[in-house]
Amino acid sequence: MPIAPDASSAKIVEPLLRLPENWSDRTAFTASSGKLTFAQLREGMLRSAAWLGKRGVRPGDVVAVCLPKCLPAIQLIYGVFACGAVYAPLQFNGPPNRLNAIIASLRPRLVLTTAEMAARFAREGGGNQATNESLAALALAAGEIEQLASGLALPDSLPQRQPDELAAIYFTSGSTGQPKGVMWSRRAMAATVGRTLQHHQANADDRLISHIGFHYSPSMDIFYPLLSGCSAFVLTEREALVPEQVAAVIEHERTTMWVSSASLLRLLAEGGNLEQRELGAMRYVEFMGEPLAVPVLRRLMDAFPMARFLNNYGATEAYDIAHYRVPRPLPGDLANVPLGHPLGNYEFQLRSEDGSEAKYGESGEICVSGPQVMMGYWAEPEQTAARRIDGHPDSYRTGDYAYRDGDGILRMVGRKDNVVKVHGNRLDLGEVAAVLKKHPAVREAVVFAVATTAALGDKEVRAAIQVEGARVDNPALLNELRRLCRDSLPNFARPVRFAMLETFPLLSSGKIDRKALEQRLSAS
């Protein structure tokens, strides 16, 4: 029986305090390293909250979390919410320059990380003072949570927080060269988790596999056990990248629910040896983030014969906008997977250029309004305003264009800006260009996401670089650019190929001929 409160109450971890007695010994999380019962999760949350309070964390303070996916980290994250702080997850083992820039913007009370990562911050991050002053290095060893709070009185109640107060900040790619922090209110976070579980029809018999890094908003699945009664197997970052290992866990744990990016699902289909496994327990498969190629979808539907498949359309700024329930059997003439129907979580509009509702068959920008929309971008009021609809708060212009077909189903047309999906990760190509243009030899940089295997819908980043003639064939410059990207961008955002040019092709208007550049990069 779920113990979730009404989704509008903005309670996230608070239900753990009134845990039913018969839940105490039930398993909430499992991992290769062990398991956590609900009682252990509650105790770890309270111990973490007590320790954070001792370190000076107060309600409303920002706590950055740069930790690997593991059970102690989940207890600490629950503790961050329990003491009323703002949760800001960062990519573990991400580029130190990028992480330091985020931390300098956040100015958090604490940065929870490992000793190894703390050393990387100091060694590779340029000695950022804001980072060094707030670091709290943790080993995440067995029993460490208990040791942290040794001798401390555990709280018997949690700070009262208001529904519209800031709960979490998830960072995504930004066109200025700096990542954008998407701010979630407590109301929006609780409502999103609650309504997502309703869509999944999750219950206490479900077994989830949790394999998404903490820095992505879908990692809110770490709250699913508490608010539905299911259990979750937690994969480390390394385990999650080995398809055969993931498939073995699904088979052994008799996993019933899978929620991930389409790219991770594609990796599982390609490398998980699924046809050799017994996967009949899987009842629900949800994918998101980018299109899933129909041939891959067919293969997966054969591998999971009892599963209902769902395409989830949304964004970090506004989760769960539309769903498409994939029919069984899959239509033979299906060319691509549509976005589906709006879910009713928001006021929904396909907005034409004049602000009116687009007619059936005509494309319009997907725009949504409601309390689940982001509060805005951290320290970016202008970018926040640019995403609002006519200046209204609680609204979001997605930048995605779609149309309704004759059955009322939404079908994607394309993006308004430079935001693309690469391996399931949202990437603003302007961020990559901004990093490349930091090199003094680069006059101009234009970046593209180029399809590599059309049948599978995969993409890679490629860049056209304008330099002086003497630098066009200079291997040393190429190495410097690769190093610059390695220090500032996550793996998926780093250009795989470069075209070094003395001049860029131009249109008659004098603007760069992006189409010609893209064709050159696609052919290289």
Side-chain angles (χ1 to χ4, degrees), residues 126-207:
N128 186 301
Q129 185 176 357
T131 302
N132 295 337
E133 289 177 353
S134 59
L135 287 174
L138 300 159
L140 300 180
E144 184 176 17
I145 302 297
E146 291 82 352
Q147 295 169 13
L148 288 176
S150 177
L152 298 178
L154 302 188
D156 54 12
S157 63
L158 304 184
Q160 293 295 313
R161 306 293 287 157
Q162 297 303 308
D164 293 324
E165 289 181 316
L166 182 60
I169 308 170
Y170 289 92
F171 280 84
T172 66
S173 185
S175 61
T176 63
Q178 297 296 326
K180 295 185 298 187
V182 180
M183 299 188 292
W184 283 65
S185 70
R186 296 183 72 85
R187 184 200 308 275
M189 197 163 192
T192 295
V193 173
R195 288 172 182 167
T196 299
L197 288 169
Q198 290 175 7
H199 297 319
H200 298 348
Q201 298 178 340
N203 60 66
D205 294 325
D206 277 315
R207 295 170 298 281

Side-chain angles (χ1 to χ4, degrees), residues 474-484 486:
N474 189 328
L477 174 59
L478 184 58
N479 288 336
E480 290 169 12
L481 293 174
R482 292 189 186 280
R483 189 180 308 114
L484 181 62
R486 187 175 62 247

Side-chain angles (χ1 to χ4, degrees), residues 52-169:
L52 288 166
K54 182 183 177 182
R55 293 295 302 260
V57 176
R58 298 292 179 264
D61 286 345
V62 175
V63 175
V65 176
C66 188
L67 294 173
K69 196 84 180 271
C70 62
L71 300 184
I74 290 174
Q75 291 175 295
L76 284 161
I77 292 168
Y78 268 65
V80 171
F81 282 95
C83 66
V86 176
Y87 168 57
L90 308 180
Q91 182 186 8
F92 183 68
N93 275 334
N97 286 351
R98 178 186 177 92
L99 297 178
N100 269 310
I102 293 174
I103 293 169
S105 170
L106 286 173
R107 300 200 67 82
R109 174 70 65 178
L110 279 182
V111 180
L112 305 183
T113 191
T114 62
E116 294 80 6
M117 197 67 199
R120 282 192 63 194
F121 278 124
R123 183 175 65 252
E124 303 172 34
N128 186 301
Q129 185 176 357
T131 302
N132 295 337
E133 289 177 353
S134 59
L135 287 174
L138 300 159
L140 300 180
E144 184 176 17
I145 302 297
E146 291 82 352
Q147 295 169 13
L148 288 176
S150 177
L152 298 178
L154 302 188
D156 54 12
S157 63
L158 304 184
Q160 293 295 313
R161 306 293 287 157
Q162 297 303 308
D164 293 324
E165 289 181 316
L166 182 60
I169 308 170

